[in-house]
Amino acid sequence: MARIADWEGHIGRRLKLRDLHVFFTVVQSGSMAKAAARLRVSPPAVSQIIADLEHALGVSLFDRSPQGVEPTTYGRALLRGGAAAFDDLKQTIKEIEFLADPTAGEVRIGCPETVAAILPPIIRRLYQRHPGVIVHVSDVVAPTLNLPQIRDRTLDLALVRVVGSSMHNRFAEEFNVEALFGDETVIVVGANSRWARRRRLGLAELINAPWILPPADSLNNIVVKEAFRASGLEPPKISLVTFSVQLRASMVATGEHITVFPRSMMQLFAEQMMLKVLPITLPTREWPVALVTLRDRTLSPVTKLFIEHVRAMWESRNMDHPDRSP
């Protein structure tokens, strides 16, 4: 392939967004005929557009076979770069729409259930200032660090809990990772339980209680077992294993069960959920809540606005006062 020095005179004038759209459709469809059907044009028209693209670039974009087409190395490169260009263009159009109507827009967030539990104060503040904004919150399984939803752009950002100090090394290189605040595990009981009234309490008194814990490989489960071992005790009796915040909170609030939650969540909602944190200190593990976005991606104005509200929440240390505006 000859080096193309004159971008504006060669590629810049010959490469059209329509051509890239056709190229993407052919890749997704796996054949010229299927792409033509999806685009509602004739197969020869699709073939001509691809041929013109290949001529303009001076390389073959597809390997043809009776079974269909597969992108070549050059085709995959165009797919990656073209997808990023289209995404930046889409975000630019969203920015223009947002500037024309700053009360509108959508942001898509992924987070595990325990992080979603601390989002309401942030979302309320966002709605107070921008009532037309739509927030989509999707569950991502903790501690998933691969985050394909960020990579394929179905999510704008993720808020996840990460275990350990080598936080940035746990994510792929294409992600930006920003630690927002450090959290810790606390033991929680129902506000009306027999343990809630105790000012002093030891783990030995809880060993035969019915515990509800997340799965064995989760940080909360590990911290609880480490605490009992450090006190020379056997692990407690576990009667229910689940990640579900709603199930754990309901069982603990209405019975004699014991569980663990992040302190940040309890600072906001312990009273509302009829729960109480016990005065027992568990082993400390680094457990930051991190904000994850796709590196080198243009964020929409609404996504930037949401991130500003998230940062303001932690920077102003309002976890204990969720109704005070940042």
Side-chain angles (χ1 to χ4, degrees), residues 289-308:
V289 172
L291 187 154
V292 184
T293 57
L294 191 63
R295 190 184 298 276
D296 299 325
R297 178 189 180 183
T298 301
L299 298 176
S300 71
V302 181
T303 301
K304 294 177 182 177
L305 186 66
F306 182 84
I307 291 174
E308 289 173 5

Side-chain angles (χ1 to χ4, degrees), residues 24 70 73 84 118 137 140 176 232 244:
F24 294 150
E70 289 278 346
T73 301
I118 62 178
V137 179
V140 295
N176 288 314
S244 173

Side-chain angles (χ1 to χ4, degrees), residues 72-300:
T72 62
T73 301
Y74 306 115
R76 290 193 294 272
L78 180 61
L79 182 65
R80 289 192 299 270
F86 262 86
D87 186 64
D88 283 347
L89 178 60
K90 181 171 66 175
Q91 298 299 348
T92 300
I93 292 172
K94 286 184 177 181
E95 182 171 4
I96 292 171
E97 293 173 344
F98 183 78
L99 292 172
D101 182 7
T103 64
E106 297 185 25
V107 58
R108 293 172 171 81
I109 305 155
C111 58
E113 196 177 356
T114 53
V115 175
I118 62 178
L119 289 181
I122 300 170
I123 296 174
R124 282 198 298 268
R125 293 187 187 97
L126 183 67
Y127 286 164
Q128 287 171 0
R129 300 177 184 181
H130 305 278
V133 167
I134 301 174
V135 178
H136 301 262
V137 179
S138 302
D139 181 61
V140 295
V141 178
T144 299
L145 305 182
N146 188 29
L147 297 174
Q149 304 96 323
I150 296 287
R151 188 179 288 107
D152 65 18
R153 297 170 170 83
T154 56
L155 292 176
D156 296 303
L157 63 99
L159 291 169
V160 295
R161 300 184 188 278
V162 188
V163 180
S165 57
S166 58
M167 177 177 62
H168 292 270
N169 296 332
R170 295 168 181 266
F171 289 86
E173 291 183 356
E174 68 262 41
F175 295 132
N176 288 314
V177 184
E178 175 186 347
L180 295 171
F181 69 97
D183 218 335
E184 64 178 312
T185 303
V186 293
I187 300 177
V188 178
V189 297
N192 297 318
S193 76
R194 56 193 168 100
W195 297 294
R197 296 182 291 274
R198 299 279 298 276
R199 293 186 178 182
R200 298 183 65 182
L201 198 64
L203 288 175
E205 299 173 77
L206 306 177
I207 193 168
N208 293 318
W211 282 72
I212 304 175
L213 291 178
D217 59 348
S218 68
L219 175 71
N220 279 333
N221 191 303
I222 293 170
V223 165
V224 170
K225 290 179 180 176
E226 283 182 351
F228 275 84
R229 279 195 294 267
S231 298
L233 301 169
E234 292 295 319
K237 174 186 175 182
I238 301 176
S239 61
L240 177 62
V241 178
T242 179
F243 269 124
S244 173
V245 169
Q246 183 176 356
L247 179 56
R248 280 188 280 164
S250 178
M251 292 286 289
V252 171
T254 59
E256 288 293 292
H257 288 81
I258 299 176
T259 192
V260 287
F261 281 127
R263 183 175 293 280
S264 59
M265 178 181 163
M266 289 298 94
Q267 286 176 325
L268 288 171
F269 299 114
E271 184 175 350
Q272 178 181 328
M273 300 173 80
M274 299 182 64
L275 302 174
K276 184 174 180 179
V277 176
L278 292 182
I280 298 176
T281 301
L282 294 174
T284 302
R285 288 282 198 103
E286 277 197 76
W287 199 30
V289 172
L291 187 154
V292 184
T293 57
L294 191 63
R295 190 184 298 276
D296 299 325
R297 178 189 180 183
T298 301
L299 298 176
S300 71

